[in-house]
Coordinates of all heavy atoms in Angstrom, one line a residue:
M1 N -103.3 130.7 -14.4 CA -101.9 130.8 -14.9 C -101.4 129.4 -15.1 O -101.7 128.5 -14.5 CB -101.1 131.4 -13.7 CG -99.6 131.6 -14.1 SD -98.6 132.3 -12.8 CE -99.2 133.9 -12.6
E2 N -100.6 129.3 -16.2 CA -100.1 128.0 -16.6 C -99.2 127.5 -15.5 O -98.4 128.2 -14.9 CB -99.3 128.1 -17.9 CG -100.1 128.7 -19.0 CD -100.4 127.6 -20.0 OE1 -99.9 126.5 -19.9 OE2 -101.3 127.8 -20.8
P3 N -99.2 126.2 -15.2 CA -98.4 125.6 -14.2 C -96.9 125.8 -14.4 O -96.1 126.0 -13.4 CB -98.7 124.1 -14.2 CG -100.0 124.0 -14.8 CD -100.1 125.1 -15.8
I4 N -96.4 125.7 -15.6 CA -95.0 125.8 -15.9 C -94.5 127.3 -15.7 O -93.5 127.5 -15.2 CB -94.6 125.3 -17.3 CG1 -93.1 125.1 -17.4 CG2 -95.1 126.2 -18.4 CD1 -92.7 124.2 -18.5
V5 N -95.4 128.2 -16.0 CA -95.1 129.7 -15.8 C -95.1 129.9 -14.3 O -94.2 130.7 -13.8 CB -96.1 130.6 -16.5 CG1 -95.9 132.0 -16.2 CG2 -96.0 130.3 -18.0
K6 N -96.0 129.3 -13.6 CA -96.1 129.5 -12.1 C -94.8 128.9 -11.5 O -94.2 129.6 -10.6 CB -97.3 128.8 -11.6 CG -97.5 129.0 -10.1 CD -98.8 128.3 -9.6 CE -99.0 128.5 -8.1 NZ -100.2 127.9 -7.7
R7 N -94.4 127.8 -11.9 CA -93.1 127.2 -11.3 C -91.9 128.1 -11.7 O -91.0 128.2 -10.9 CB -92.9 125.8 -11.8 CG -93.8 124.8 -11.2 CD -93.4 123.4 -11.4 NE -93.6 123.0 -12.8 CZ -94.8 122.4 -13.3 NH1 -95.8 122.2 -12.4 NH2 -94.9 122.1 -14.5
Y8 N -91.9 128.6 -12.9 CA -90.8 129.5 -13.3 C -90.8 130.8 -12.4 O -89.7 131.2 -11.9 CB -90.9 129.9 -14.7 CG -89.8 130.6 -15.3 CD1 -88.6 130.1 -15.5 CD2 -89.9 132.0 -15.7 CE1 -87.5 130.8 -16.0 CE2 -88.9 132.7 -16.2 CZ -87.7 132.1 -16.4 OH -86.6 132.8 -16.9
L9 N -91.9 131.4 -12.2 CA -92.0 132.6 -11.3 C -91.6 132.3 -9.9 O -91.0 133.1 -9.2 CB -93.3 133.2 -11.4 CG -93.7 133.9 -12.8 CD1 -95.2 134.4 -12.7 CD2 -92.8 135.0 -13.0
I10 N -92.0 131.1 -9.4 CA -91.6 130.7 -8.0 C -90.1 130.5 -8.0 O -89.4 130.9 -7.0 CB -92.3 129.4 -7.6 CG1 -93.8 129.7 -7.4 CG2 -91.7 128.7 -6.4 CD1 -94.7 128.5 -7.1
R11 N -89.5 130.0 -9.0 CA -88.0 129.9 -9.0 C -87.3 131.2 -9.0 O -86.3 131.4 -8.4 CB -87.6 129.1 -10.3 CG -86.2 128.7 -10.3 CD -85.9 127.8 -11.6 NE -86.4 126.5 -11.5 CZ -86.2 125.5 -12.3 NH1 -85.4 125.8 -13.3 NH2 -86.7 124.3 -12.1
I12 N -87.9 132.2 -9.8 CA -87.3 133.5 -9.8 C -87.5 134.1 -8.4 O -86.5 134.8 -7.9 CB -88.0 134.4 -10.8 CG1 -87.6 133.9 -12.2 CG2 -87.7 135.8 -10.7 CD1 -88.4 134.6 -13.3
L13 N -88.6 134.0 -7.8 CA -88.8 134.6 -6.4 C -87.9 133.9 -5.4 O -87.4 134.6 -4.5 CB -90.3 134.4 -6.0 CG -91.2 135.4 -6.7 CD1 -92.7 135.1 -6.3 CD2 -90.9 136.8 -6.3
N14 N -87.7 132.6 -5.5 CA -86.7 131.9 -4.6 C -85.4 132.5 -4.8 O -84.6 132.7 -3.8 CB -86.8 130.4 -4.8 CG -87.9 129.7 -4.2 OD1 -88.6 130.3 -3.3 ND2 -88.2 128.5 -4.7
T15 N -84.9 132.7 -6.0 CA -83.6 133.2 -6.2 C -83.5 134.6 -5.7 O -82.5 134.9 -5.0 CB -83.3 133.3 -7.8 OG1 -83.5 132.0 -8.3 CG2 -82.0 133.8 -8.1
L16 N -84.5 135.4 -5.9 CA -84.5 136.8 -5.4 C -84.4 136.8 -3.8 O -83.7 137.6 -3.2 CB -85.7 137.6 -5.9 CG -85.7 139.1 -5.6 CD1 -84.5 139.8 -6.1 CD2 -87.0 139.7 -6.1
S17 N -85.3 136.0 -3.3 CA -85.4 136.0 -1.8 C -84.1 135.5 -1.1 O -83.6 136.1 -0.2 CB -86.5 135.1 -1.3 OG -87.7 135.5 -1.8
V18 N -83.5 134.4 -1.6 CA -82.3 134.0 -1.1 C -81.1 135.0 -1.3 O -80.3 135.2 -0.4 CB -81.9 132.6 -1.7 CG1 -80.5 132.1 -1.3 CG2 -82.9 131.5 -1.2
S19 N -81.1 135.6 -2.4 CA -80.1 136.6 -2.7 C -80.2 137.8 -1.7 O -79.2 138.2 -1.2 CB -80.2 137.1 -4.1 OG -80.1 136.1 -5.1
L20 N -81.4 138.3 -1.5 CA -81.5 139.4 -0.6 C -81.2 139.0 0.8 O -80.7 139.8 1.6 CB -83.0 140.0 -0.8 CG -83.3 140.7 -2.1 CD1 -84.7 141.1 -2.1 CD2 -82.3 141.9 -2.3
L21 N -81.6 137.8 1.2 CA -81.3 137.4 2.6 C -79.8 137.2 2.8 O -79.3 137.7 3.8 CB -82.0 136.0 2.9 CG -81.7 135.4 4.2 CD1 -82.3 136.3 5.3 CD2 -82.3 134.0 4.3
W22 N -79.1 136.6 1.8 CA -77.7 136.5 1.9 C -77.0 137.9 2.0 O -76.1 138.1 2.8 CB -77.1 135.7 0.7 CG -75.7 135.5 0.8 CD1 -75.0 134.5 1.5 CD2 -74.7 136.2 0.1 NE1 -73.7 134.7 1.3 CE2 -73.4 135.7 0.5 CE3 -74.7 137.3 -0.7 CZ2 -72.2 136.2 0.0 CZ3 -73.5 137.8 -1.2 CH2 -72.3 137.3 -0.8
L23 N -77.4 138.8 1.1 CA -76.9 140.1 1.1 C -77.1 140.8 2.4 O -76.2 141.5 2.9 CB -77.5 140.9 -0.1 CG -76.9 142.3 -0.3 CD1 -75.4 142.2 -0.7 CD2 -77.7 143.0 -1.4
A24 N -78.3 140.8 2.9 CA -78.7 141.5 4.2 C -77.9 140.9 5.4 O -77.4 141.7 6.2 CB -80.2 141.3 4.5
V25 N -77.7 139.6 5.4 CA -77.0 139.0 6.6 C -75.5 139.4 6.5 O -74.9 139.9 7.5 CB -77.1 137.5 6.6 CG1 -76.1 136.8 7.5 CG2 -78.5 137.1 7.0
N26 N -74.9 139.3 5.3 CA -73.5 139.7 5.2 C -73.2 141.1 5.3 O -72.2 141.5 5.9 CB -72.9 139.1 4.0 CG -72.7 137.6 4.1 OD1 -72.0 137.1 5.0 ND2 -73.5 136.8 3.3
S27 N -74.1 141.9 4.8 CA -74.0 143.4 4.9 C -74.1 143.8 6.4 O -73.3 144.7 6.9 CB -75.0 144.1 4.1 OG -74.8 143.9 2.7
T28 N -75.1 143.3 7.1 CA -75.3 143.6 8.4 C -74.1 143.2 9.3 O -73.6 144.0 10.1 CB -76.6 143.0 9.0 OG1 -77.7 143.5 8.2 CG2 -76.8 143.4 10.5
A29 N -73.6 142.0 9.1 CA -72.5 141.5 9.9 C -71.2 142.3 9.6 O -70.4 142.7 10.5 CB -72.3 140.0 9.7
G30 N -71.0 142.5 8.3 CA -69.8 143.1 7.9 C -69.7 144.6 8.1 O -68.7 145.1 8.6
I31 N -70.7 145.3 7.8 CA -70.7 146.8 7.9 C -71.2 147.3 9.3 O -70.5 148.1 9.9 CB -71.5 147.5 6.7 CG1 -70.8 147.1 5.4 CG2 -71.5 148.9 6.9 CD1 -71.6 147.5 4.2
M32 N -72.4 146.9 9.7 CA -72.9 147.4 10.9 C -72.2 147.0 12.2 O -72.0 147.7 13.1 CB -74.4 147.1 11.0 CG -75.2 147.8 10.0 SD -77.0 147.5 10.1 CE -77.3 148.3 11.7
Y33 N -71.7 145.7 12.1 CA -71.0 145.2 13.3 C -69.5 145.3 13.1 O -68.7 144.7 13.9 CB -71.4 143.8 13.6 CG -72.9 143.7 14.0 CD1 -73.8 142.9 13.3 CD2 -73.3 144.4 15.1 CE1 -75.1 142.9 13.7 CE2 -74.6 144.4 15.5 CZ -75.5 143.6 14.8 OH -76.8 143.5 15.2
D34 N -69.0 146.0 12.0 CA -67.6 146.3 11.9 C -66.7 145.0 11.8 O -65.6 145.1 12.2 CB -67.1 147.2 13.0 CG -65.9 148.0 12.6 OD1 -65.9 148.4 11.4 OD2 -65.1 148.3 13.5
L35 N -67.2 144.0 11.2 CA -66.5 142.8 11.1 C -65.7 142.7 9.8 O -64.7 142.0 9.7 CB -67.4 141.5 11.2 CG -68.1 141.4 12.5 CD1 -69.1 140.2 12.4 CD2 -67.2 141.2 13.6
A36 N -66.1 143.4 8.8 CA -65.4 143.4 7.5 C -64.2 144.3 7.4 O -63.4 144.2 6.5 CB -66.4 143.8 6.4
F37 N -64.1 145.3 8.3 CA -63.0 146.3 8.2 C -61.9 145.8 9.1 O -62.0 145.5 10.3 CB -63.5 147.6 8.7 CG -64.7 148.1 7.9 CD1 -66.0 148.2 8.4 CD2 -64.6 148.3 6.5 CE1 -67.1 148.6 7.7 CE2 -65.7 148.7 5.7 CZ -66.9 148.9 6.3
I38 N -60.7 145.9 8.6 CA -59.5 145.6 9.3 C -58.9 146.9 9.7 O -58.5 147.7 8.9 CB -58.5 144.7 8.4 CG1 -59.2 143.4 8.0 CG2 -57.2 144.5 9.2 CD1 -58.4 142.7 7.0
H39 N -58.8 147.1 11.0 CA -58.3 148.4 11.5 C -56.8 148.4 11.7 O -56.0 148.5 10.7 CB -59.0 148.8 12.8 CG -60.5 149.0 12.5 ND1 -61.0 150.1 11.8 CD2 -61.6 148.3 12.9 CE1 -62.3 150.0 11.7 NE2 -62.7 148.9 12.4
E40 N -56.3 148.1 12.8 CA -54.8 148.2 13.0 C -54.2 146.8 12.7 O -53.0 146.8 12.1 CB -54.5 148.5 14.5 CG -55.0 149.9 14.9 CD -55.0 150.1 16.4 OE1 -54.4 149.3 17.1 OE2 -55.5 151.1 16.8
R41 N -54.8 145.7 12.9 CA -54.3 144.4 12.5 C -55.5 143.5 12.3 O -56.6 143.8 12.7 CB -53.4 143.9 13.6 CG -54.0 143.7 14.9 CD -53.0 143.3 16.0 NE -53.6 143.2 17.3 CZ -54.3 142.2 17.8 NH1 -54.4 141.1 17.0 NH2 -54.8 142.3 19.0
I42 N -55.2 142.3 11.7 CA -56.2 141.3 11.4 C -56.6 140.7 12.8 O -55.6 140.2 13.5 CB -55.8 140.3 10.4 CG1 -55.6 141.0 9.1 CG2 -56.8 139.2 10.3 CD1 -55.1 140.0 8.0
Q43 N -57.8 140.7 13.1 CA -58.3 140.0 14.4 C -59.0 138.7 14.1 O -59.4 138.5 12.9 CB -59.1 141.0 15.2 CG -58.4 142.3 15.6 CD -59.3 143.2 16.3 OE1 -60.6 143.1 16.2 NE2 -58.7 144.2 16.9
L44 N -59.3 138.0 15.1 CA -60.0 136.8 14.9 C -61.4 137.0 14.4 O -61.9 136.2 13.5 CB -60.1 136.0 16.3 CG -60.9 134.7 16.3 CD1 -60.2 133.7 15.3 CD2 -61.0 134.1 17.6
K45 N -62.1 138.1 14.8 CA -63.4 138.4 14.3 C -63.4 138.6 12.8 O -64.4 138.2 12.1 CB -64.0 139.5 15.1 CG -63.4 140.8 14.8 CD -64.1 141.9 15.6 CE -63.5 143.3 15.3 NZ -64.2 144.4 15.9
N46 N -62.3 139.2 12.3 CA -62.2 139.4 10.8 C -62.1 138.1 10.1 O -62.7 137.9 9.0 CB -61.1 140.3 10.5 CG -61.2 141.7 11.1 OD1 -60.3 142.1 11.9 ND2 -62.2 142.4 10.8
L47 N -61.2 137.2 10.6 CA -61.0 135.9 10.0 C -62.3 135.1 10.0 O -62.6 134.5 9.0 CB -59.9 135.2 10.7 CG -58.5 135.8 10.5 CD1 -57.5 135.0 11.4 CD2 -58.1 135.8 9.1
L48 N -63.0 135.1 11.1 CA -64.3 134.4 11.2 C -65.3 135.0 10.2 O -66.0 134.2 9.6 CB -64.8 134.4 12.6 CG -64.0 133.6 13.7 CD1 -64.6 133.8 15.0 CD2 -64.0 132.1 13.3
F49 N -65.4 136.3 10.1 CA -66.3 136.9 9.2 C -66.0 136.5 7.8 O -66.9 136.1 7.0 CB -66.4 138.4 9.3 CG -67.2 139.0 8.3 CD1 -68.5 139.0 8.2 CD2 -66.5 139.7 7.2 CE1 -69.3 139.5 7.2 CE2 -67.3 140.3 6.2 CZ -68.7 140.2 6.2
Y50 N -64.7 136.6 7.4 CA -64.4 136.3 5.9 C -64.5 134.8 5.7 O -64.8 134.4 4.5 CB -63.0 136.9 5.6 CG -63.1 138.4 5.4 CD1 -62.5 139.3 6.2 CD2 -63.7 138.9 4.3 CE1 -62.6 140.6 6.0 CE2 -63.9 140.2 4.0 CZ -63.3 141.1 4.9 OH -63.4 142.4 4.7
T51 N -64.2 134.0 6.7 CA -64.5 132.5 6.5 C -65.9 132.3 6.3 O -66.3 131.5 5.3 CB -63.9 131.7 7.7 OG1 -62.5 132.0 7.8 CG2 -64.1 130.3 7.5
W52 N -66.8 132.8 7.1 CA -68.2 132.7 7.0 C -68.7 133.3 5.6 O -69.5 132.6 4.9 CB -69.0 133.4 8.1 CG -70.4 133.8 7.7 CD1 -70.8 135.0 7.3 CD2 -71.5 132.9 7.6 NE1 -72.2 134.9 7.0 CE2 -72.6 133.6 7.2 CE3 -71.6 131.5 7.8 CZ2 -73.8 133.1 7.0 CZ3 -72.8 131.0 7.6 CH2 -73.9 131.7 7.2
F53 N -68.1 134.4 5.2 CA -68.5 135.0 4.0 C -68.2 134.1 2.8 O -69.1 133.9 1.9 CB -67.8 136.4 3.8 CG -68.1 137.1 2.5 CD1 -69.3 137.8 2.4 CD2 -67.3 137.0 1.4 CE1 -69.6 138.5 1.2 CE2 -67.6 137.7 0.3 CZ -68.7 138.4 0.1
L54 N -67.0 133.5 2.7 CA -66.7 132.7 1.6 C -67.4 131.4 1.6 O -67.9 130.9 0.5 CB -65.2 132.4 1.6 CG -64.3 133.6 1.3 CD1 -62.8 133.3 1.5 CD2 -64.6 134.1 -0.1
L55 N -67.6 130.8 2.8 CA -68.4 129.5 2.9 C -69.9 129.8 2.5 O -70.5 129.0 1.7 CB -68.3 128.9 4.3 CG -67.0 128.3 4.6 CD1 -67.0 127.9 6.1 CD2 -66.6 127.2 3.7
S56 N -70.4 130.9 3.0 CA -71.8 131.1 2.6 C -72.0 131.5 1.1 O -73.0 131.2 0.5 CB -72.4 132.2 3.5 OG -71.8 133.5 3.3
L57 N -71.0 132.2 0.6 CA -71.0 132.5 -0.8 C -71.0 131.3 -1.7 O -71.7 131.1 -2.6 CB -69.8 133.4 -1.2 CG -69.7 133.8 -2.7 CD1 -70.9 134.6 -3.1 CD2 -68.4 134.5 -2.9
G58 N -70.1 130.3 -1.3 CA -70.1 129.0 -2.0 C -71.4 128.3 -1.9 O -71.9 127.7 -2.9
A59 N -72.0 128.2 -0.7 CA -73.3 127.6 -0.5 C -74.4 128.3 -1.3 O -75.3 127.7 -1.9 CB -73.7 127.5 1.0
F60 N -74.3 129.6 -1.3 CA -75.3 130.4 -2.1 C -75.2 130.1 -3.6 O -76.2 129.9 -4.2 CB -75.1 131.9 -1.8 CG -75.8 132.8 -2.7 CD1 -77.2 132.9 -2.6 CD2 -75.1 133.6 -3.7 CE1 -77.9 133.8 -3.5 CE2 -75.8 134.4 -4.5 CZ -77.2 134.5 -4.4
I61 N -74.0 130.1 -4.1 CA -73.8 129.9 -5.5 C -74.2 128.4 -5.9 O -74.9 128.2 -6.9 CB -72.4 130.1 -6.0 CG1 -72.1 131.6 -5.9 CG2 -72.1 129.6 -7.3 CD1 -70.6 132.0 -6.1
W62 N -73.9 127.5 -5.0 CA -74.3 126.1 -5.2 C -75.8 126.0 -5.2 O -76.4 125.3 -6.1 CB -73.7 125.2 -4.1 CG -74.2 123.8 -4.2 CD1 -73.7 122.8 -5.0 CD2 -75.4 123.3 -3.5 NE1 -74.5 121.7 -4.8 CE2 -75.5 121.9 -3.9 CE3 -76.3 123.8 -2.6 CZ2 -76.5 121.1 -3.4 CZ3 -77.3 122.9 -2.1 CH2 -77.4 121.6 -2.5
Y63 N -76.5 126.7 -4.3 CA -78.0 126.6 -4.3 C -78.6 127.2 -5.6 O -79.5 126.6 -6.2 CB -78.5 127.3 -3.1 CG -80.0 127.4 -3.0 CD1 -80.8 126.2 -2.8 CD2 -80.7 128.5 -3.4 CE1 -82.2 126.3 -2.8 CE2 -82.1 128.6 -3.4 CZ -82.8 127.5 -3.1 OH -84.2 127.5 -3.1
I64 N -78.1 128.3 -6.0 CA -78.7 128.9 -7.2 C -78.4 128.1 -8.4 O -79.3 127.9 -9.3 CB -78.0 130.4 -7.4 CG1 -78.4 131.2 -6.2 CG2 -78.5 131.0 -8.7 CD1 -79.8 131.5 -6.0
V65 N -77.2 127.5 -8.6 CA -76.9 126.6 -9.7 C -77.8 125.4 -9.6 O -78.4 124.9 -10.6 CB -75.4 126.2 -9.8 CG1 -75.2 125.1 -10.7 CG2 -74.6 127.5 -10.1
W66 N -77.9 124.8 -8.4 CA -78.8 123.6 -8.3 C -80.3 123.9 -8.6 O -80.9 123.1 -9.2 CB -78.7 123.1 -6.8 CG -79.6 122.0 -6.5 CD1 -79.4 120.7 -6.8 CD2 -80.9 122.1 -5.8 NE1 -80.5 120.0 -6.3 CE2 -81.4 120.8 -5.7 CE3 -81.6 123.2 -5.2 CZ2 -82.6 120.6 -5.1 CZ3 -82.8 122.9 -4.6 CH2 -83.3 121.6 -4.6
L67 N -80.7 125.1 -8.2 CA -82.1 125.5 -8.4 C -82.4 125.7 -9.9 O -83.4 125.2 -10.4 CB -82.4 126.8 -7.7 CG -83.8 127.3 -7.8 CD1 -84.8 126.4 -7.1 CD2 -83.9 128.7 -7.2
W68 N -81.5 126.3 -10.6 CA -81.7 126.6 -12.0 C -81.3 125.4 -13.0 O -81.7 125.5 -14.1 CB -81.0 127.9 -12.4 CG -81.8 129.1 -11.9 CD1 -81.5 129.7 -10.7 CD2 -82.9 129.7 -12.5 NE1 -82.5 130.7 -10.6 CE2 -83.3 130.7 -11.7 CE3 -83.6 129.4 -13.7 CZ2 -84.4 131.5 -11.9 CZ3 -84.7 130.2 -14.0 CH2 -85.1 131.3 -13.1
R69 N -80.6 124.5 -12.5 CA -80.2 123.3 -13.3 C -81.3 122.4 -13.5 O -81.4 121.6 -14.4 CB -79.0 122.7 -12.7 CG -78.3 121.8 -13.7 CD -77.0 121.3 -13.1 NE -76.0 122.2 -13.3 CZ -74.7 122.0 -13.1 NH1 -74.3 120.9 -12.5 NH2 -73.8 123.0 -13.3
K70 N -82.3 122.3 -12.5 CA -83.4 121.4 -12.6 C -84.3 121.8 -13.7 O -84.6 123.0 -13.9 CB -84.2 121.4 -11.3 CG -83.5 120.9 -10.1 CD -84.4 120.7 -8.9 CE -85.1 122.0 -8.5 NZ -85.9 121.9 -7.3
P71 N -84.7 120.9 -14.6 CA -85.6 121.3 -15.7 C -87.0 121.6 -15.2 O -87.5 121.0 -14.2 CB -85.5 120.1 -16.6 CG -85.2 118.9 -15.7 CD -84.3 119.5 -14.6
L72 N -87.6 122.5 -15.9 CA -89.0 122.8 -15.6 C -89.9 121.7 -16.3 O -89.9 121.7 -17.6 CB -89.4 124.2 -16.1 CG -88.9 125.3 -15.2 CD1 -89.2 126.6 -15.9 CD2 -89.5 125.3 -13.9
K73 N -90.6 120.9 -15.6 CA -91.3 119.8 -16.2 C -92.8 120.3 -16.3 O -93.3 120.9 -15.4 CB -91.3 118.6 -15.4 CG -89.9 117.9 -15.3 CD -90.0 116.6 -14.5 CE -88.5 116.1 -14.5 NZ -88.6 114.8 -13.7
Q74 N -93.4 119.9 -17.5 CA -94.8 120.1 -17.6 C -95.5 119.0 -17.0 O -95.0 117.9 -16.8 CB -95.1 120.3 -19.1 CG -94.6 121.5 -19.7 CD -95.0 121.6 -21.2 OE1 -95.8 120.8 -21.7 NE2 -94.5 122.6 -21.8
E75 N -96.8 119.1 -16.7 CA -97.5 118.1 -16.0 C -97.6 116.8 -16.9 O -97.6 115.7 -16.3 CB -98.9 118.6 -15.7 CG -98.9 119.6 -14.6 CD -100.3 120.1 -14.3 OE1 -101.3 119.7 -14.9 OE2 -100.4 121.0 -13.4
D76 N -97.7 116.9 -18.2 CA -97.9 115.7 -19.0 C -96.5 115.0 -19.2 O -96.4 113.9 -19.7 CB -98.5 116.0 -20.4 CG -98.3 117.4 -20.9 OD1 -98.3 118.3 -20.1 OD2 -98.1 117.5 -22.1
D77 N -95.4 115.7 -18.8 CA -94.1 115.0 -18.9 C -93.8 114.0 -17.8 O -93.0 113.1 -17.9 CB -92.9 116.1 -18.8 CG -92.9 116.9 -20.1 OD1 -93.5 116.5 -21.1 OD2 -92.2 118.0 -20.1
E78 N -94.5 114.1 -16.7 CA -94.3 113.2 -15.6 C -94.7 111.8 -15.8 O -95.3 111.2 -16.4 CB -94.9 113.8 -14.3 CG -94.3 115.1 -14.0 CD -95.0 115.8 -12.8 OE1 -96.0 115.1 -12.2 OE2 -94.7 116.9 -12.5

């Protein structure tokens, strides 16, 4: 396999892996542990969950943009 194609596929797999991990963590915390749902009033656990959600979303987007902004270099370009 060509080295540039291999690096491109690794980049795709990294994006997919981080996306699924982020989704699994936030879905588990929000839905299974009932942190995303506001029942009678807003509680501290809801505020902490949504703060975590927004901060991790920002970090997730930053990582994906950083990962895909790097150019794919061929071996003779170095």
Side-chain angles (χ1 to χ4, degrees):
M1 182 181 294
E2 300 258 345
I4 196 161
V5 174
K6 185 177 180 181
R7 285 193 291 271
Y8 186 71
L9 290 176
I10 289 172
R11 190 178 285 189
I12 290 172
L13 286 175
N14 281 340
T15 302
L16 184 62
S17 299
V18 170
S19 302
L20 291 175
L21 177 66
W22 181 82
L23 183 65
V25 166
N26 286 299
S27 296
T28 301
I31 296 171
M32 290 183 67
Y33 294 122
D34 202 34
L35 299 177
F37 304 113
I38 300 170
H39 295 292
E40 294 168 10
R41 60 184 174 86
I42 295 177
Q43 298 176 347
L44 180 61
K45 66 178 185 176
N46 300 118
L47 292 175
L48 290 175
F49 171 74
Y50 282 111
T51 301
W52 158 257
F53 180 79
L54 291 175
L55 289 175
S56 66
L57 178 63
F60 169 69
I61 292 172
W62 174 83
Y63 174 74
I64 298 301
V65 168
W66 174 81
L67 182 67
W68 284 95
R69 197 174 275 186
K70 293 189 306 188
L72 286 173
K73 293 183 180 179
Q74 293 183 4
E75 290 179 359
D76 30 320
D77 287 346
E78 297 175 5

